[in-house]
Amino acid sequence: MIRAMRPVIIAANWKMNTTPADAGELAREIARRTRVDGVTRVICPPFLCLAAVRDALAEADPDVAIGAQNVHHELAGAYTGEISAPMLDGLATWVILGHSERRRDAGETDELIGAKLARAVEAGLRPILCVGEQLADREAGRAIAVAEAQLGGCLTGLDPGRLGAAQLVIAYEPVWAIGTGRNARGSDAAAMAEAIRSTLSGLGWGETSRDVPILYGGSVTAANIGEFFAEPSIDGALVGGASLKPDEMAGIVGRAGLTAAARLAAIA
Ligand code: PGA
Protein backbone atom coordinates (compact mmCIF):
# COMPACT_ATOMS: atom_id res chain seq x y z
CA MET A 1 0.00 0.00 0.00
CA ILE A 2 1.26 3.49 -0.82
CA ARG A 3 1.00 5.60 2.30
CA ALA A 4 0.00 9.24 2.03
CA MET A 5 2.94 11.54 2.54
CA ARG A 6 3.30 13.18 5.91
CA PRO A 7 2.78 16.94 5.98
CA VAL A 8 5.64 19.36 6.55
CA ILE A 9 4.81 21.56 9.53
CA ILE A 10 6.43 24.64 11.06
CA ALA A 11 4.81 25.71 14.32
CA ALA A 12 5.72 28.97 16.05
CA ASN A 13 5.55 28.93 19.84
CA TRP A 14 5.58 32.55 20.91
CA LYS A 15 5.49 31.56 24.61
CA MET A 16 4.86 34.55 26.96
CA ASN A 17 5.72 37.18 24.36
CA THR A 18 3.70 39.82 22.44
CA THR A 19 0.64 41.85 23.48
CA PRO A 20 -2.76 42.25 21.82
CA ALA A 21 -1.41 45.56 20.48
CA ASP A 22 1.56 44.10 18.62
CA ALA A 23 0.75 40.41 18.00
CA GLY A 24 -1.39 41.03 14.93
CA GLU A 25 1.34 42.96 13.17
CA LEU A 26 3.94 40.28 13.91
CA ALA A 27 1.61 37.55 12.65
CA ARG A 28 0.93 39.53 9.49
CA GLU A 29 4.63 40.04 8.85
CA ILE A 30 5.44 36.36 9.40
CA ALA A 31 2.56 35.31 7.15
CA ARG A 32 3.75 37.64 4.40
CA ARG A 33 7.33 36.35 4.62
CA THR A 34 6.48 32.62 4.72
CA ARG A 35 4.17 32.06 1.77
CA VAL A 36 5.63 28.76 0.58
CA ASP A 37 3.79 25.89 -1.09
CA GLY A 38 3.31 22.67 0.81
CA VAL A 39 4.19 23.86 4.32
CA THR A 40 1.62 23.87 7.11
CA ARG A 41 2.27 26.98 9.20
CA VAL A 42 0.93 27.35 12.72
CA ILE A 43 1.31 30.36 15.00
CA CYS A 44 0.75 29.83 18.73
CA PRO A 45 0.50 33.18 20.51
CA PRO A 46 -0.46 33.72 24.16
CA PHE A 47 -4.19 33.23 24.87
CA LEU A 48 -4.70 36.97 25.18
CA CYS A 49 -3.37 37.58 21.67
CA LEU A 50 -5.36 34.85 19.89
CA ALA A 51 -8.13 37.19 18.76
CA ALA A 52 -5.69 39.80 17.45
CA VAL A 53 -3.75 37.14 15.54
CA ARG A 54 -6.96 35.61 14.19
CA ASP A 55 -8.18 38.96 12.90
CA ALA A 56 -4.81 39.82 11.36
CA LEU A 57 -4.45 36.47 9.62
CA ALA A 58 -8.05 36.41 8.37
CA GLU A 59 -7.09 39.45 6.35
CA ALA A 60 -3.41 38.72 5.59
CA ASP A 61 -3.30 34.95 5.03
CA PRO A 62 -6.05 32.58 6.19
CA ASP A 63 -3.79 29.61 5.35
CA VAL A 64 -1.81 30.19 8.53
CA ALA A 65 -3.34 28.15 11.34
CA ILE A 66 -3.58 29.36 14.91
CA GLY A 67 -2.79 27.35 18.00
CA ALA A 68 -3.00 27.82 21.75
CA GLN A 69 -0.09 26.93 24.04
CA ASN A 70 -2.13 24.97 26.60
CA VAL A 71 -5.65 24.07 27.73
CA HIS A 72 -7.12 22.97 31.03
CA HIS A 73 -8.04 19.33 31.58
CA GLU A 74 -11.64 20.14 32.56
CA LEU A 75 -14.32 21.70 30.42
CA ALA A 76 -15.54 24.37 32.85
CA GLY A 77 -15.81 25.10 36.54
CA ALA A 78 -14.01 26.61 39.50
CA TYR A 79 -10.52 26.86 38.02
CA THR A 80 -9.42 30.44 38.48
CA GLY A 81 -7.27 31.80 35.72
CA GLU A 82 -7.59 28.75 33.48
CA ILE A 83 -8.77 28.33 29.87
CA SER A 84 -10.62 25.24 28.65
CA ALA A 85 -10.57 23.68 25.20
CA PRO A 86 -14.15 24.64 24.21
CA MET A 87 -13.34 28.30 24.98
CA LEU A 88 -10.93 28.29 22.05
CA ASP A 89 -13.77 27.83 19.57
CA GLY A 90 -13.33 30.44 16.86
CA LEU A 91 -9.88 31.40 18.13
CA ALA A 92 -7.58 28.41 17.58
CA THR A 93 -7.61 25.07 15.80
CA TRP A 94 -4.33 23.67 17.19
CA VAL A 95 -2.92 23.37 20.69
CA ILE A 96 0.53 22.65 22.14
CA LEU A 97 0.33 20.22 25.08
CA GLY A 98 2.91 18.92 27.51
CA HIS A 99 5.54 21.55 26.78
CA SER A 100 8.51 21.08 29.10
CA GLU A 101 8.08 24.61 30.46
CA ARG A 102 4.61 23.64 31.64
CA ARG A 103 5.86 20.35 33.03
CA ARG A 104 8.52 22.37 34.90
CA ASP A 105 6.55 25.49 35.93
CA ALA A 106 3.02 24.16 36.31
CA GLY A 107 3.92 20.67 37.51
CA GLU A 108 2.11 18.99 34.63
CA THR A 109 2.34 15.22 34.77
CA ASP A 110 1.94 12.77 31.91
CA GLU A 111 -1.44 11.74 33.31
CA LEU A 112 -2.67 15.34 33.40
CA ILE A 113 -1.37 15.96 29.89
CA GLY A 114 -3.28 12.87 28.74
CA ALA A 115 -6.48 14.36 30.20
CA LYS A 116 -5.79 17.63 28.40
CA LEU A 117 -5.25 15.71 25.17
CA ALA A 118 -8.64 14.06 25.53
CA ARG A 119 -10.34 17.44 26.11
CA ALA A 120 -8.49 19.02 23.18
CA VAL A 121 -9.51 16.25 20.80
CA GLU A 122 -13.14 16.39 21.96
CA ALA A 123 -13.11 20.12 21.19
CA GLY A 124 -11.79 19.47 17.68
CA LEU A 125 -8.32 20.88 18.31
CA ARG A 126 -5.26 19.38 16.66
CA PRO A 127 -2.73 18.60 19.40
CA ILE A 128 1.04 18.96 19.29
CA LEU A 129 2.22 16.74 22.13
CA CYS A 130 5.73 17.55 23.41
CA VAL A 131 8.13 15.00 24.83
CA GLY A 132 11.84 15.20 25.57
CA GLU A 133 14.56 14.34 28.01
CA GLN A 134 16.69 16.34 30.46
CA LEU A 135 20.42 16.63 29.86
CA ALA A 136 21.21 14.13 32.62
CA ASP A 137 18.95 11.59 30.92
CA ARG A 138 20.72 11.99 27.60
CA GLU A 139 24.14 11.76 29.21
CA ALA A 140 23.08 8.59 30.99
CA GLY A 141 21.80 7.05 27.74
CA ARG A 142 18.19 7.27 28.91
CA ALA A 143 16.82 9.78 26.38
CA ILE A 144 14.72 7.30 24.45
CA ALA A 145 13.46 5.55 27.57
CA VAL A 146 12.29 8.90 28.99
CA ALA A 147 10.41 9.85 25.83
CA GLU A 148 8.84 6.39 25.65
CA ALA A 149 7.67 6.68 29.25
CA GLN A 150 6.23 10.15 28.61
CA LEU A 151 4.36 8.91 25.56
CA GLY A 152 3.05 5.91 27.44
CA GLY A 153 1.96 8.10 30.35
CA CYS A 154 0.21 10.66 28.14
CA LEU A 155 -1.43 8.31 25.66
CA THR A 156 -2.43 5.25 27.67
CA GLY A 157 -6.19 5.01 27.81
CA LEU A 158 -6.68 7.27 24.80
CA ASP A 159 -8.07 5.73 21.64
CA PRO A 160 -5.41 5.70 18.87
CA GLY A 161 -8.17 5.88 16.25
CA ARG A 162 -9.52 9.06 17.80
CA LEU A 163 -6.10 10.67 18.19
CA GLY A 164 -5.18 9.62 14.67
CA ALA A 165 -8.35 11.19 13.34
CA ALA A 166 -7.45 14.35 15.27
CA GLN A 167 -4.12 14.24 13.40
CA LEU A 168 -1.96 14.18 16.49
CA VAL A 169 1.50 15.68 16.01
CA ILE A 170 4.41 14.87 18.30
CA ALA A 171 7.22 17.32 19.01
CA TYR A 172 10.51 15.95 20.24
CA GLU A 173 12.00 18.71 22.35
CA PRO A 174 15.07 17.83 24.41
CA VAL A 175 14.81 20.05 27.49
CA TRP A 176 18.51 20.96 27.37
CA ALA A 177 18.08 22.35 23.85
CA ILE A 178 15.11 24.65 24.57
CA GLY A 179 16.09 28.31 24.62
CA THR A 180 19.75 27.46 25.14
CA GLY A 181 21.14 27.98 21.64
CA ARG A 182 22.30 24.37 21.81
CA ASN A 183 20.38 22.19 19.36
CA ALA A 184 20.30 18.41 19.18
CA ARG A 185 22.03 16.68 16.30
CA GLY A 186 19.82 15.81 13.36
CA SER A 187 20.82 12.17 13.70
CA ASP A 188 19.77 12.08 17.38
CA ALA A 189 16.42 13.68 16.52
CA ALA A 190 15.94 11.08 13.77
CA ALA A 191 16.75 8.21 16.13
CA MET A 192 14.23 9.64 18.56
CA ALA A 193 11.59 9.96 15.84
CA GLU A 194 12.03 6.29 14.98
CA ALA A 195 11.73 5.37 18.67
CA ILE A 196 8.59 7.50 19.02
CA ARG A 197 6.95 5.77 16.05
CA SER A 198 7.79 2.32 17.35
CA THR A 199 6.47 3.30 20.79
CA LEU A 200 3.22 4.42 19.19
CA SER A 201 3.06 1.18 17.34
CA GLY A 202 3.41 -0.68 20.64
CA LEU A 203 0.64 1.47 22.13
CA GLY A 204 -1.81 0.14 19.57
CA TRP A 205 -1.25 2.48 16.65
CA GLY A 206 0.17 -0.27 14.44
CA GLU A 207 1.13 0.87 10.96
CA THR A 208 -0.60 4.24 11.36
CA SER A 209 2.28 5.25 13.64
CA ARG A 210 4.16 5.90 10.38
CA ASP A 211 1.64 8.63 9.51
CA VAL A 212 2.14 10.68 12.68
CA PRO A 213 4.12 13.85 11.95
CA ILE A 214 7.11 14.33 14.24
CA LEU A 215 8.63 17.76 14.75
CA TYR A 216 11.94 18.67 16.32
CA GLY A 217 12.10 21.60 18.75
CA GLY A 218 14.94 23.20 20.67
CA SER A 219 16.93 26.22 19.46
CA VAL A 220 15.81 25.80 15.85
CA THR A 221 17.00 28.61 13.58
CA ALA A 222 17.16 29.31 9.88
CA ALA A 223 20.83 28.31 10.09
CA ASN A 224 20.30 24.84 11.59
CA ILE A 225 16.87 23.75 10.28
CA GLY A 226 18.50 22.03 7.29
CA GLU A 227 20.14 19.50 9.61
CA PHE A 228 16.71 18.32 10.72
CA PHE A 229 15.09 18.30 7.30
CA ALA A 230 18.01 16.18 6.10
CA GLU A 231 16.37 13.41 8.16
CA PRO A 232 13.38 11.85 6.38
CA SER A 233 11.79 10.88 9.70
CA ILE A 234 11.53 14.53 10.82
CA ASP A 235 8.54 16.42 9.44
CA GLY A 236 9.13 19.93 10.71
CA ALA A 237 9.88 22.05 13.72
CA LEU A 238 8.37 23.66 16.80
CA VAL A 239 10.18 26.97 16.94
CA GLY A 240 10.40 29.17 20.05
CA GLY A 241 12.76 32.14 20.18
CA ALA A 242 13.35 32.31 16.44
CA SER A 243 9.59 32.34 15.76
CA LEU A 244 9.39 35.94 16.99
CA LYS A 245 11.73 37.03 14.20
CA PRO A 246 10.22 37.27 10.70
CA ASP A 247 13.67 36.90 9.07
CA GLU A 248 14.25 33.63 10.89
CA MET A 249 10.77 32.36 10.11
CA ALA A 250 11.24 33.20 6.44
CA GLY A 251 14.43 31.13 6.37
CA ILE A 252 12.95 28.22 8.32
CA VAL A 253 9.73 27.99 6.29
CA GLY A 254 11.69 28.50 3.07
CA ARG A 255 13.82 25.46 3.91
CA ALA A 256 10.71 23.51 4.87
CA GLY A 257 9.31 24.27 1.42
CA LEU A 258 12.24 22.48 -0.20
CA THR A 259 11.47 19.34 1.78
CA ALA A 260 7.76 19.61 0.97
CA ALA A 261 8.55 19.89 -2.74
CA ALA A 262 10.99 16.97 -2.60
CA ARG A 263 8.43 14.76 -0.86
CA LEU A 264 5.82 15.62 -3.43
CA ALA A 265 8.21 14.85 -6.27
CA ALA A 266 9.09 11.50 -4.66
CA ILE A 267 5.49 10.25 -4.70
CA ALA A 268 4.55 11.81 -8.08
P1 PGA B 1 13.36 27.50 21.41
O1 PGA B 1 12.01 26.91 22.02
O2 PGA B 1 13.25 27.40 19.91
O3 PGA B 1 13.43 28.91 21.90
O4 PGA B 1 14.49 26.66 21.93
C1 PGA B 1 11.38 25.80 21.43
C2 PGA B 1 10.18 25.43 22.23
O5 PGA B 1 10.22 25.55 23.45
O6 PGA B 1 9.15 25.01 21.67
Side-chain angles (χ1 to χ4, degrees):
M1 183 179 75
I2 299 176
R3 306 195 72 83
M5 96 181 178
R6 290 194 302 265
V8 172
I9 300 168
I10 300 294
N13 177 8
W14 285 0
K15 308 193 179 185
M16 196 172 71
N17 295 291
T18 70
T19 68
D22 58 29
E25 187 46 41
L26 180 59
R28 204 174 289 124
E29 178 69 1
I30 290 172
R32 191 179 66 76
R33 304 278 310 274
T34 58
R35 250 178 227 127
V36 172
D37 282 347
V39 181
T40 300
R41 293 164 294 164
V42 190
I43 294 180
C44 306
F47 285 125
L48 214 54
C49 300
L50 285 168
V53 168
R54 175 200 57 194
D55 294 346
L57 292 175
E59 195 194 352
D61 190 346
D63 286 345
V64 182
I66 302 173
Q69 298 172 14
N70 177 40
V71 287
H72 197 262
H73 62 283
E74 295 290 355
L75 296 175
Y79 300 101
T80 303
E82 296 289 346
I83 304 283
S84 73
M87 291 177 186
L88 296 174
D89 188 26
L91 289 169
T93 52
W94 292 59
V95 64
I96 299 170
L97 292 174
H99 192 281
S100 65
E101 286 154 11
R102 294 206 55 83
R103 292 174 187 262
R104 179 194 69 200
D105 299 338
E108 291 190 7
T109 61
D110 293 328
E111 194 189 354
L112 186 79
I113 295 161
K116 287 169 183 255
L117 258 174
R119 292 291 98 79
V121 168
E122 282 158 22
L125 295 166
R126 184 169 184 182
I128 302 176
L129 171 63
C130 303
V131 296
E133 82 284 358
Q134 306 277 345
L135 186 58
D137 297 318
R138 175 149 295 272
E139 286 174 348
R142 287 195 306 261
I144 284 178
V146 166
E148 282 173 353
Q150 289 173 332
L151 279 175
C154 294
L155 298 180
T156 300
L158 300 179
D159 173 18
R162 213 139 171 224
L163 283 173
Q167 299 181 292
L168 173 72
V169 173
I170 296 191
Y172 166 52
E173 297 208 310
V175 178
W176 49 270
I178 295 177
T180 59
R182 185 179 164 200
N183 60 283
R185 283 194 302 241
S187 54
D188 287 334
M192 184 62 85
E194 287 304 324
I196 288 171
R197 292 203 174 93
S198 68
T199 304
L200 289 178
S201 180
L203 288 169
W205 288 67
E207 271 299 294
T208 57
S209 61
R210 318 266 3 133
D211 302 334
V212 176
I214 297 183
L215 314 183
Y216 166 77
S219 298
V220 168
T221 63
N224 65 28
I225 184 70
E227 175 165 0
F228 300 99
F229 276 126
E231 303 292 342
S233 56
I234 301 288
D235 303 306
L238 180 55
V239 187
S243 75
L244 295 161
K245 301 177 187 153
D247 280 353
E248 286 288 326
M249 284 299 282
I252 292 167
V253 177
R255 179 62 189 79
L258 300 180
T259 290
R263 288 187 180 187
L264 202 58
I267 61 160

